[in-house]
Amino acid sequence: MAEHEHTESAEAFLPFALPDIDDAEIDAVVACLRSGWVTTGPTARQFEHDFAAYLGEQDLHAIAVNSATAGLHLALEGLGIGPGDEVIVPTMTFTATAEVVRYLGAQPVLVDVDPAHMNIDPDAVDAAITPRTRAIMPVHYAGLACDMDALLALARRHGLRVIEDAAHAFPTRHRGRLVGTLDSDATVFSFYANKTMTTGEGGMVLTRDPELARRVRLMRIHGISQDAFNRYVSRTPAWFYEVVAAGFKYNLTDIAAAIGIQQLRKIDRFARRREQLAQRYDDGLAGLPLQLPAHADAAAGDTHAWHLYVVRLAPDAPLGRDALIEALSQRGIGTSVHFIPLHRHPYWRDACALAPAQFPVAEACFERMLTLPLYTRMSDADQDRVIHALHALLA
Ligand SMILES: *Cc1c(COP(=O)(O)O)cnc(C)c1O
């Protein structure tokens, strides 16, 4: 496997994530720059088309945006979330999931996660529903799908919208279907630098709802009506357009989309390598005082995207999480923590009047968790360095 054999010297720093970019992306960007069309145009449309084709459903709308945060904001806006509304969000996520609710003047209601996989706990969601609840935002933590059957059943029973934060979950299967094609109102993917595929910055909104798709497209670009703006089919003069809402500036450039098209062509290889690396960690770390991450239930038709490989230190481990991160860093190994639960951040603690005791599972997980390096360009030898370091420190 030549592609995995670019091992650096033993001293080189191993980051916890690294994008996998080669000449295909570089050539595509150069071609875009030479074409003279650098903002949203034919390449962004091609990327949307290719992305929907990958998910494999005819009636799916794919709308490219400049971040997942923007996509989540647009999806909530398009579904009419506003002041007085409550939206249920797991505390074990990145701040983007909750902040977009605040953008719209609505209230995020943080709930605890399930200890097995740290995905949102459907029972905690059930307990948090009030007459003001309008939506649930499940986050497919680390790349493993939430229990969507339970969440969608709750949503149907209470008339709630479901917007999936799928920033970690491309590609992830759930009950045999790809995330992005499940029965939620919208799904949003991220192409941030450390995600399973990247456009530098970028995201994609998926929905089957043609009205929502129309609204997201409109609000993505200043609320400028597409009907007048579409210069290829419109009979109105090219200079004419109509602003029909106070929209946003969330469009994806053709430069970024050119990268995305190339990344998408490699995504199955990327996914196989991530799966392989996760399996090698499982084998190499067995027997250490670590709780290894939950796997997908293959028999039920689930797969794991392995965006993150998150381990939890056992109570009897010889050193604590912070000390372990420091010791690994001294050996040139980068790690991270996903996530500092939202309720621990000053803004969310104060804005939502939260106390750690409300989130016993997230609290217990947070104290013990760290994210190990996992990226497609990581060689087996790179990974063995991490495994050996953990044996030296924990065995
Ligand atoms: C990365 C991430 C986001 C934000 O994605 P951007 O494309 O950077 O806006 C949202 N939610 C989760 C869970 C993430 O990890």
Side-chain angles (χ1 to χ4, degrees):
M1 286 205 146
E3 59 188 318
H4 302 135
E5 283 174 0
H6 59 96
T7 312
E8 272 96 290
S9 83
E11 314 309 318
F13 185 78
L14 267 182
F16 95 89
L18 201 66
D20 195 335
I21 303 273
D22 64 22
D23 283 344
E25 287 82 0
I26 293 166
D27 292 347
V29 167
V30 170
C32 178
L33 294 174
R34 290 196 194 286
S35 78
W37 194 280
V38 292
T39 183
T40 308
T43 310
R45 264 197 299 283
Q46 183 68 45
F47 183 36
E48 291 174 339
H49 175 270
D50 291 358
F51 202 87
Y54 181 88
L55 292 176
E57 286 199 12
Q58 296 280 322
D59 58 347
L60 212 51
H61 302 269
I63 304 149
V65 287
N66 59 12
S67 71
T69 308
L72 291 166
H73 182 197
L74 290 170
L76 290 178
E77 197 277 343
L79 291 167
I81 305 299
D85 295 339
E86 292 177 356
V87 177
I88 298 175
V89 175
T91 190
M92 192 63 86
T93 188
F94 184 57
T95 193
T97 320
E99 82 190 22
V100 296
V101 177
R102 294 298 303 142
Y103 290 179
L104 294 159
Q107 185 62 31
V109 174
L110 301 185
V111 300
D112 210 350
V113 293
D114 184 298
H117 37 58
M118 295 189 265
N119 270 325
I120 195 167
D121 177 355
D123 292 333
V125 173
D126 197 3
I129 293 170
T130 76
R132 283 192 294 279
T133 308
R134 293 285 311 282
I136 310 170
M137 295 175 78
V139 177
H140 304 304
Y141 178 83
L144 185 67
C146 297
D147 182 350
M148 292 302 292
D149 292 340
L151 295 171
L152 288 165
L154 274 176
R156 271 191 294 273
R157 184 161 355 119
H158 296 275
L160 309 177
R161 302 296 200 161
V162 177
I163 303 95
E164 295 168 72
D165 179 340
H168 301 183
F170 188 70
T172 293
R173 280 184 188 276
H174 184 53
R175 306 295 181 254
R177 296 156 74 192
L178 281 166
V179 168
T181 69
L182 309 181
D183 299 321
S184 63
D185 293 280
T187 304
V188 182
F189 294 100
S190 172
F191 310 130
Y192 179 67
N194 71 6
K195 299 291 163 51
T196 55
M197 65 168 267
T198 187
T199 60
E201 299 279 358
M204 191 74 76
V205 181
L206 279 298
T207 182
R208 277 196 203 87
D209 175 351
E211 263 312 293
L212 177 60
R214 193 196 57 76
R215 180 72 183 179
V216 168
R217 285 186 192 284
L218 176 75
M219 298 306 278
R220 172 178 65 172
I221 182 86
H222 299 300
I224 291 174
S225 168
Q226 301 268 318
D227 306 332
F229 201 58
N230 190 339
R231 290 160 192 197
Y232 301 100
V233 299
S234 174
R235 298 170 131 263
T236 50
W239 56 265
F240 186 78
Y241 64 90
E242 280 181 313
V243 174
V244 298
F248 308 102
K249 186 64 166 51
Y250 282 166
N251 53 304
L252 187 74
T253 67
D254 271 16
I255 301 171
I259 301 172
I261 290 170
Q262 299 305 320
Q263 291 270 289
L264 184 60
R265 293 170 65 169
K266 305 173 184 172
I267 194 67
D268 289 333
R269 172 166 67 78
F270 287 174
R272 279 195 301 276
R273 180 61 182 156
R274 284 183 177 276
E275 173 71 43
Q276 228 172 43
L277 288 164
Q279 196 57 59
R280 287 188 91 255
Y281 268 140
D282 282 356
D283 297 341
L285 301 176
L288 292 179
L290 290 173
Q291 182 179 345
L292 302 182
H295 274 239
D297 182 355
D302 282 23
T303 63
H304 198 312
W306 294 112
H307 164 52
L308 303 173
Y309 190 91
V310 179
V311 297
R312 284 175 264 175
L313 277 167
D316 60 346
L319 70 178
R321 190 271 310 275
D322 297 2
L324 179 59
I325 287 179
E326 183 53 36
L328 287 169
S329 167
Q330 274 164 14
R331 289 166 188 250
I333 296 168
T335 56
S336 191
V337 174
H338 295 89
F339 293 94
I340 302 168
L342 294 186
H343 68 264
R344 283 195 162 229
H345 292 284
Y347 173 76
W348 295 113
R349 183 191 62 213
D350 298 345
C352 305
L354 301 171
Q358 295 167 253
F359 309 94
V361 177
E363 278 291 303
C365 295
F366 168 67
E367 302 279 351
R368 305 180 169 284
M369 71 195 327
L370 70 156
T371 306
L372 301 183
L374 195 164
Y375 46 94
T376 54
R377 293 170 65 89
M378 187 181 208
S379 67
D380 288 359
D382 291 336
Q383 188 180 33
D384 289 341
R385 262 181 69 195
V386 182
I387 293 169
H388 292 149
L390 286 165
H391 276 270
L393 293 163
L394 295 176

